[in-house]
Amino acid sequence: MTGFYSEHAKVWVSVDCIVFGFEEDKLKVLIGKRKMDPGRGEWSLYGGFVGAEESLEEAADRVLSELTGLKKLYMKQVGAYGAIDRDPGERVISVAYCALINVRDYDDSLREQHSLEWVDVKDLPHLYSDHNLMVTNAIAQLRRRIRTEPLSFNLLPVLFTLTQLQHVYEAVLGTEIDKRNFRKRIKEIDYIEKTELIDKKTSKRGAALYRFNKKAFAEDPTFKL
């Protein structure tokens, strides 16, 4: 380390991860009780401090990997939070990241290991510090992006029904969508492919299964729903 900037006060930098999942037709976020002071026992997002040899993205990737065991997740920076009194322990600036996962891909033993819970975003309790604001901002970001980016497929299994896809949009947007218009628009999108497979588990009558064609999307990434 050099002696540069020694006249300036030092601050801590952390990352907080807002992990969204889709389950029971609801958008849920992963939270747990803090195991450290300050705020021990309070509901909180999962995060960690940025290492001396890490970039912000590397720190967020590490935290998400520790939390979920999954790699190459959808991840976007939500914003930086630096209110002077946001952390009563030290002067901490946190950079929040939003991640989307398919709940079924998540090893539930890791959730139990970290004492975490999936909570409906509509029933979110009071969280430590400014974590509620982080979640609110992340949802607003998702709502802006979901109509122009294929975000919903990160929350679904590889094969899904149109009803499941519609429910994802409704859960993120927080409003009901007209079924007929939704399906008409979906069938005009080339990279949402209908397969020959039928879902007989969630549909008594049997519903066609679809998939997201990444190659077709790469060739024509125009997306608007």
Side-chain angles (χ1 to χ4, degrees):
M1 300 292 289
T2 70
F4 298 127
Y5 316 127
S6 58
E7 71 274 21
H8 298 288
K10 292 182 173 61
V11 299
W12 297 88
V13 179
S14 68
V15 292
D16 283 298
C17 295
I18 308 150
V19 181
F20 289 115
F22 179 70
E23 188 179 40
E24 299 171 340
D25 295 339
K26 297 175 181 177
L27 183 67
K28 298 185 177 183
V29 64
L30 206 55
I31 61 173
K33 296 288 186 74
R34 278 177 66 88
K35 299 179 181 179
M36 59 185 291
D37 293 318
R40 186 183 298 271
E42 293 184 34
W43 286 108
S44 171
L45 296 172
Y46 193 85
F49 287 100
V50 179
E53 303 299 325
E54 287 182 314
S55 68
L56 289 171
E57 289 75 15
E58 288 169 343
D61 277 336
R62 171 178 55 79
V63 169
L64 284 171
S65 179
E66 292 173 357
L67 179 63
T68 67
L70 302 174
K71 302 289 186 181
K72 297 181 178 180
L73 294 174
Y74 169 91
M75 182 180 75
K76 291 287 185 181
Q77 187 180 121
V78 175
Y81 299 80
I84 295 173
D85 59 350
R86 65 172 302 275
D87 191 308
E90 293 285 353
R91 179 76 168 95
V92 180
I93 295 173
S94 182
V95 181
Y97 285 84
C98 168
L100 305 178
I101 70 173
N102 174 20
V103 173
R104 292 184 180 180
D105 289 340
Y106 182 26
D107 184 349
D108 205 50
S109 65
L110 281 175
R111 182 189 62 78
E112 294 177 352
Q113 176 185 323
H114 293 292
S115 303
L116 299 170
E117 299 291 340
W118 285 110
V119 177
D120 186 343
V121 295
K122 294 181 179 178
D123 300 323
L124 202 62
H126 175 73
L127 303 178
Y128 176 74
S129 185
D130 48 11
H131 290 188
N132 285 89
L133 176 61
M134 293 180 182
V135 175
T136 297
N137 291 347
I139 292 172
Q141 184 187 82
L142 287 182
R143 288 175 176 173
R144 290 193 302 270
R145 293 177 178 271
I146 196 168
R147 292 188 183 277
T148 56
E149 298 179 26
L151 306 186
S152 55
F153 307 111
N154 296 286
L155 296 165
L156 290 167
V158 174
L159 297 174
F160 52 85
T161 66
L162 292 186
T163 297
Q164 288 174 313
L165 182 60
Q166 179 176 337
H167 287 168
V168 167
Y169 275 85
E170 291 175 332
V172 171
L173 295 173
T175 186
E176 292 186 6
I177 297 173
D178 181 78
K179 179 178 178 180
R180 182 177 299 177
N181 289 338
F182 181 82
R183 295 194 173 210
K184 180 181 178 182
R185 179 68 187 101
I186 289 298
K187 291 176 181 179
E188 294 172 351
I189 300 175
D190 292 338
Y191 38 82
I192 300 179
E193 281 187 340
K194 184 178 181 180
T195 72
E196 297 180 355
L197 301 173
I198 300 296
D199 172 36
K200 295 183 179 179
K201 291 183 179 180
T202 62
S203 173
K204 293 181 180 180
R205 298 173 60 184
L209 286 166
Y210 290 73
R211 64 186 170 202
F212 174 53
N213 187 323
K214 294 181 180 180
K215 183 178 179 182
F217 177 75
E219 292 174 352
D220 180 17
T222 304
F223 186 94
K224 189 172 183 180
L225 187 62

